[in-house]
Amino acid sequence: EQGTWDIEIKTAIGGTTVAAMEMFNMEVLFNAVSKGRIVNPVFGTTGASGIGEFKARYDGAGVIRVQANEAATASSHYAATIVATRVN
């Protein structure tokens, strides 16, 4: 829907094994154009990462997507929540 939107994205990585390189593996795209990577702090090799956050204001209609750029560690899983709030 057309308009101006505040976008807030929160991400996390979990699993029995999370590699340090996965810290920078999630990227935000608006209409297939990269808007930056989300940093998920990885504190060790087991358990969950810290929470990654991304905030932006977006004008127009289109697709907002979070994607992994590289293969994840076999036992890790990625999660993302996207909240879009219409400003006008």
Side-chain angles (χ1 to χ4, degrees):
E1 183 175 328
Q2 283 298 117
T4 301
W5 300 84
D6 280 340
I7 308 299
E8 182 176 2
I9 301 171
K10 293 195 178 191
T11 59
I13 305 170
T16 55
T17 304
V18 178
M21 67 83 163
E22 293 182 84
M23 181 182 305
F24 304 106
N25 200 22
M26 297 177 84
E27 181 176 20
V28 177
L29 294 99
F30 291 160
N31 290 330
V33 176
S34 175
K35 297 299 181 181
R37 297 213 177 195
I38 301 174
V39 177
N40 292 283
V42 175
F43 304 111
T45 58
T46 59
S49 71
I51 302 296
E53 292 189 66
F54 181 92
K55 293 182 181 182
R57 180 160 282 181
Y58 181 66
D59 292 315
V63 176
I64 301 165
R65 180 175 59 172
V66 177
Q67 74 178 22
N69 290 312
E70 304 292 334
T73 304
S75 64
S76 66
H77 57 270
Y78 288 36
T81 300
I82 301 171
V83 176
T85 304
R86 188 169 185 160
V87 176
N88 66 18

